Amino acid sequence: MAPRAQIEEDLQEVAAIDPLVPRVWLSGGDPFTMSTHRLGEFGTLVKSYLPRANLGTYARIDSTFHKSVDELKELRASATTLCISRQSFQLTSPA
């Protein structure tokens, strides 16, 4: 993930251009594997500059298993709306 200062600078720039941006999307790898605290900080930062923006990310289905219900609630509270698109995968046995 980019340094906080860079993220904040990017959010300030977007807010100056269009403060009604509908969604901020976390991308690159599987952001959902980051700690709940770090993701929550990001959600709070987005909410402070773009209060109407939904926060979205992809997450592998197995990375969602590592978050407790309380952690998911914490993440939801940090963002206006949290949208998680889970990616499924199939394990295959060697032929």
Side-chain angles (χ1 to χ4, degrees):
M1 187 173 193
R4 181 187 169 100
Q6 180 184 344
I7 293 168
E8 193 161 5
E9 190 176 303
D10 290 345
L11 289 169
Q12 289 171 351
E13 184 178 340
V14 171
I17 295 167
D18 185 1
L20 302 178
V21 165
R23 175 167 290 164
V24 173
W25 195 259
L26 298 175
S27 64
D30 183 355
F32 213 65
T33 60
M34 291 190 303
S35 73
T36 301
H37 177 74
R38 183 111 160 111
L39 282 171
E41 283 183 337
F42 186 75
T44 301
L45 193 59
V46 168
K47 195 175 186 179
S48 69
Y49 287 100
L50 303 167
R52 292 185 164 189
N54 296 327
L55 182 59
T57 186
Y58 283 117
R60 281 180 43 121
I61 198 162
D62 58 337
S63 64
T64 62
F65 298 149
H66 301 288
K67 302 282 186 220
S68 70
V69 171
D70 287 339
E71 287 174 312
L72 293 172
K73 286 179 181 178
E74 180 183 334
L75 289 173
R76 170 59 184 93
S78 72
T80 304
T81 301
L82 179 64
C83 304
I84 303 167
S85 179
R86 297 190 328 177
Q87 299 173 335
S88 61
F89 63 95
Q90 181 177 356
L91 297 176
T92 57
S93 59

